[in-house]
Amino acid sequence: MSVEVDTSTRTPSAPAAEAVTMAKALNRALRDSLAEDDTVLIFGEDVGRLGGVFRVTEGLRAEFGSTRVWDSPLAESGIIGTAIGMAMNGMRPVVEMQFDAYAYPAFEQIVSHVAKMRNRTKGRVALPITIRIPYAGDIGGVEHHSDSSEAYWTSTPGLTVVTPSNPADAYALLRESIASDDPVVFMEPKSRYWMKETVSLPVATGPMHRAQVLREGTDATLLAYGPTVRTALDSAEAGAEHGLSVEVIDLRTLSPFDDETVSASVRKTSRAAIIHEAARFGGYGAEVAARLTERNFTHLSAPILRITGFDVPYPSPKLEEYFLPTVERVLDALESWDWEL
Amino acid sequence: MTIDVPTTGRSLPQLQPISFIDADGRLTDTPTAGLRIPGDRTLTGLYRQMVFVRRFEAQVTHLTRQGRLATYPSAAGQEAAEVGATTALAPGDWLFPTYRDSAALLTRGVPVGEILAAFRGDWHCGFDPNEYHTSPAATPLATQTLHATGFAMAAKLKGADAATLTFLGDGASSEGDAHEAFNFASVWQTPTVFVLQNNQYAISTPLREQTNATMLADRAAGYGMPGLRVDGNDVAAVFAAVTAALERGRNGDGPTLIECLTYRMESHTNSDDPTKYREAEEVEHWRQFDPIDRLEKYLRSTGAVDDAGIEEIAAAAEALAESVRDAMNREAEIDPLELFAHVYAQPRTDLAEQQQVLEAELAAAGRA
Ligand SMILES: Cc1ncc(C[n+]2csc(CCOP(=O)(O)OP(=O)(O)O)c2C)c(N)n1
Ligand SMILES: [Mg+2]
């Protein structure tokens, strides 16, 4: 049972554009999904009465009742495990892991069952589950509240991993994730929850599996996703002041990787760098650098670089500024290339 | 063929919470499962520590509102469980606390600046676990219950006398790790005491949506260990129950689960808004069961304390609050390069390279 959501045609009269935060856009996406498909269910820790610790599910229990939106007991493996059973029985659960690091108790259920059910059943059992995970740092969070856990999920075959960087994409990508018959790990960059954008919802922003060129350039390509898209755009702006024309791509979906869009850009600019908050060693950037090199080696005039967090545990509020990739570090990376070539 | 199943040795905790001193400061006639009320000297000491803890929590909550700490989960209202349980520990026993249990750390003698290091924004737990026989406070829920079990098992294997005590919440008791710890501890018969602080909420989720059991102490029976339900706001009951449970453990009789019925008077942390999920009347209702008021009444009635004694304790609590302010108002000196210092025992060259990047940046910014 699949629900077709064509967000471009579902608005009878165009609603007025208003300034919405990413949290609000996600809330609207959940609301519209609940309204449109009564197999959509939302449960998790504090998502009902409280509306979630980030208020992403605010008001949904009041509007749809506690058989559609409810607070579960406090157990992440339990939440994902029961979502699996519900999905096998015709439901489309959208569950929340309260914070990145608190998804770890559910690791077994996610990597061994959510990711593999389709394959184990020869395609006979689909698990249309959306696992929402607030992730990454830069919010002054104490330990365990700022992890970038994306590489655990992207290195698991069977999972689709999505992460928006702005309110419009947050709305559109979450609608599409919920409608997808593949399980989706939907990673919400916490530091962007309060980012505002003027947009009229519902909005369509291009297919989920495609990356998006946010700024065109000819000298180098900066790849980013979620929380670091802002850093990439700011770096491109700063680069322009140094006479560099930098293209910026928001990956939007980490798995699958949009080779077409990204390779086209890299072939044009011949240089690329990827920015993420997660530690470098074995991080998502390693996959990006490897596959871009494999596919575009002869078009490259410099090695692909990674601007990432250090290979240390995510630090405390007082030290995050030293850990997070900054515009300066991105510029240093750009400058490290041999531009005479 | 008959199947041989044990038919004895299984008992459920009594429904009525064990308590010695009621909300009015009078002795109760509740059955106390063979436990005896601690003497006045012990109770006066517990009173004193509860007053300290309350003042400490109020002061830290206040400083957090002023932005001196990144976040703070207060145990205001839970002083009896925090203090009663921790005081029962022998110095050689080990404590496995959670984020909620700064009061227990204070009772264990950890200096205030060290207790608050992580909440303040430092990158480590602040204190030396080996010095205070206390594990770093765990935030991933219920994970520490297994550590307490393993530690106790090692003590047993080494023939050491130490027992362990771990706190967990009503919410955390739903996590798989809690159930695994109960089972391991009971199968291995480790000297472990699980002090389950049932403060009625897990952030916004009320107990009735957390469990369908009559009481959380009932869980113990399913794992073959004794369970006790105590009035968690009666420090006499908590202290007596935990003391007896530690003794059982040290005697080789295995773990105990103790549910302390209490109430979280403050918000979950300073960033939580409890008006979204509970009524002010409910909080007011719980005020009449206050752990400190009732003990003060009781100790006055026995003559163990008088006005002068109460004032002296209050003044000492003020001095503690001042030391908290001093510690928190001093700017914490944190060296960013320490980020690299303790990740591995064996140094790594790539980490050293990354450290050099930061060193160069700091030097360029005139900060090193
Ligand atoms: C594994 C895990 N999941 C979620 C959280 C987020 N979280 C922190 S405290 C809390 C509620 C815990 O409630 P309870 O166990 O009753 O303890 P209390 O806070 O009431 O002391 C939640 C959900 C966490 N810390 N760890
Ligand atoms: Mg609780």
Side-chain angles (χ1 to χ4, degrees), chain B residues 237-282:
Chain B
V238 176
F239 178 81
V242 174
T243 302
L246 287 166
E247 205 46 42
R248 274 192 78 241
R250 284 199 203 91
N251 289 339
D253 295 328
T256 308
L257 172 63
I258 299 175
E259 176 187 6
C260 295
L261 280 176
T262 183
Y263 193 77
R264 196 194 77 213
M265 298 300 286
E266 278 284 346
S267 51
H268 172 71
T269 65
N270 57 294
S271 46
D272 172 41
D273 175 10
T275 62
K276 295 222 181 252
Y277 54 82
R278 71 184 188 187
E279 304 290 335
E281 293 83 70
E282 184 185 287

Side-chain angles (χ1 to χ4, degrees), chain A residues 46 49-50 53 55 58 71 73-76 98 102 140 142-145 281 310-313 315-319 321-322 329, chain B residues 71 118 120-123 139-141 171 174-175 202-206 208-210 276-277 334 336 339-340 351 354 361-362 367:
Chain A
D46 306 292
R49 243 179 234 93
L50 185 66
V53 293
R55 304 294 185 267
E58 185 144 61
D71 292 317
L74 208 176
E76 296 76 13
Q98 199 162 77
Y102 304 145
V142 291
E143 56 175 356
H144 315 298
H145 290 80
F281 197 96
F310 295 123
D311 289 322
V312 304
S316 64
K318 289 228 157 97
L319 297 181
E321 59 171 308
Y322 304 106
R329 283 187 196 150
Chain B
T71 187
R120 200 184 178 188
D122 212 332
W123 54 271
T139 305
L141 295 167
S174 295
E175 290 279 8
I203 307 186
S204 72
T205 306
R208 67 178 178 281
E209 289 177 31
Q210 198 63 249
K276 295 222 181 252
Y277 54 82
I334 305 175
L339 281 181
F340 300 94
L351 218 53
Q354 294 181 13
E361 285 178 4
L362 292 170
R367 290 166 99 157

Side-chain angles (χ1 to χ4, degrees), chain B residues 25 40-41 44 295-310:
Chain B
D40 275 6
R41 262 227 337 231
T44 307
L295 186 57
E296 182 179 327
K297 283 183 195 144
Y298 174 76
L299 290 174
R300 280 180 187 275
S301 76
T302 66
V305 297
D306 55 11
D307 283 349
I310 299 284

Side-chain angles (χ1 to χ4, degrees), chain A residues 23 26-27 30 42 46-48 50-62 69 94 96 132:
Chain A
L26 292 165
N27 178 268
L30 293 170
I42 295 178
D46 306 292
V47 298
L50 185 66
V53 293
F54 292 105
R55 304 294 185 267
V56 172
T57 56
E58 185 144 61
L60 300 178
R61 179 181 187 261
V69 180
V94 183
E96 175 178 300
R132 295 184 35 247

Side-chain angles (χ1 to χ4, degrees), chain A:
Chain A
M1 167 214 58
S2 115
V3 181
E4 290 293 326
V5 180
D6 181 351
T7 46
S8 58
T9 57
R10 37 186 310 284
T11 349
S13 59
E18 53 172 336
V20 290
T21 60
M22 182 186 279
K24 185 70 207 163
L26 292 165
N27 178 268
R28 204 24 222 288
L30 293 170
R31 195 195 153 274
D32 291 354
S33 296
L34 283 161
E36 196 169 275
D37 176 355
D38 59 17
T39 67
V40 171
L41 304 173
I42 295 178
F43 62 100
E45 293 157 13
D46 306 292
V47 298
R49 243 179 234 93
L50 185 66
V53 293
F54 292 105
R55 304 294 185 267
V56 172
T57 56
E58 185 144 61
L60 300 178
R61 179 181 187 261
E63 184 173 349
F64 294 94
S66 57
T67 55
R68 302 286 307 283
V69 180
W70 72 95
D71 292 317
S72 72
L74 208 176
E76 296 76 13
S77 181
I79 292 167
I80 301 295
T82 55
I84 291 170
M86 288 189 206
M88 292 174 74
N89 198 6
M91 299 301 184
R92 200 166 274 271
V94 183
V95 292
E96 175 178 300
M97 301 281 97
Q98 199 162 77
F99 280 88
D100 27 62
Y102 304 145
Y104 302 151
F107 200 78
E108 174 81 301
Q109 292 286 357
I110 297 174
V111 303
S112 295
H113 293 301
V114 173
K116 292 180 181 163
M117 187 66 84
R118 172 175 296 278
N119 192 59
R120 290 173 64 226
T121 60
K122 248 179 136 181
R124 294 179 183 110
V125 177
L127 293 182
I129 299 173
T130 304
I131 303 172
R132 295 184 35 247
I133 307 181
Y135 83 112
D138 205 10
I139 58 155
V142 291
E143 56 175 356
H144 315 298
H145 290 80
S146 298
D147 281 18
S148 286
S149 50
E150 63 270 23
Y152 298 135
W153 316 123
T154 56
S155 63
T156 302
L159 298 177
T160 296
V161 183
V162 176
T163 179
S165 72
N166 58 69
D169 260 353
Y171 178 88
L173 291 173
L174 184 53
R175 293 292 321 261
E176 212 179 318
S177 296
I178 295 170
S180 167
D181 282 336
D182 282 319
V184 176
V185 175
F186 191 88
M187 307 197 65
E188 302 170 4
K190 291 189 283 275
S191 61
R192 311 307 293 159
Y193 270 142
W194 304 282
M195 168 203 191
K196 274 196 176 162
E197 185 185 18
T198 301
V199 55
S200 52
L201 300 176
V203 65
T205 60
M208 174 161 102
H209 289 188
R210 300 308 295 265
Q212 199 182 351
V213 178
L214 294 185
R215 174 181 174 125
E216 300 216 2
T218 51
D219 295 332
T221 302
L222 280 181
L223 301 167
Y225 53 88
T228 56
V229 169
R230 183 76 261 158
T231 318
L233 288 168
D234 291 348
S235 303
E237 195 61 41
E241 285 163 25
H242 292 74
L244 283 180
S245 166
V246 178
E247 182 144 308
V248 175
I249 297 182
D250 179 353
L251 294 176
R252 298 167 84 242
T253 293
L254 303 183
S255 172
F257 184 83
D258 182 357
D259 287 302
E260 193 183 326
T261 302
V262 179
S263 282
S265 172
V266 170
R267 287 176 184 220
K268 178 177 73 174
T269 63
S270 84
R271 291 177 167 88
I274 166 110
I275 313 171
H276 59 62
E277 282 189 20
R280 172 170 317 199
F281 197 96
Y284 185 71
E287 169 63 24
V288 172
R291 75 192 289 129
L292 290 180
T293 305
E294 283 164 359
R295 284 157 198 256
N296 308 296
F297 184 69
T298 56
H299 301 265
L300 291 174
S301 45
I304 292 168
L305 297 178
R306 294 169 286 164
I307 302 105
T308 67
F310 295 123
D311 289 322
V312 304
Y314 192 91
S316 64
K318 289 228 157 97
L319 297 181
E320 354 180 54
E321 59 171 308
Y322 304 106
F323 175 91
L324 292 167
T326 55
V327 169
E328 290 69 42
R329 283 187 196 150
V330 177
L331 292 179
D332 283 351
L334 299 184
E335 277 164 22
S336 75
W337 279 322
D338 184 355
W339 287 96
E340 302 308 316
L341 277 174

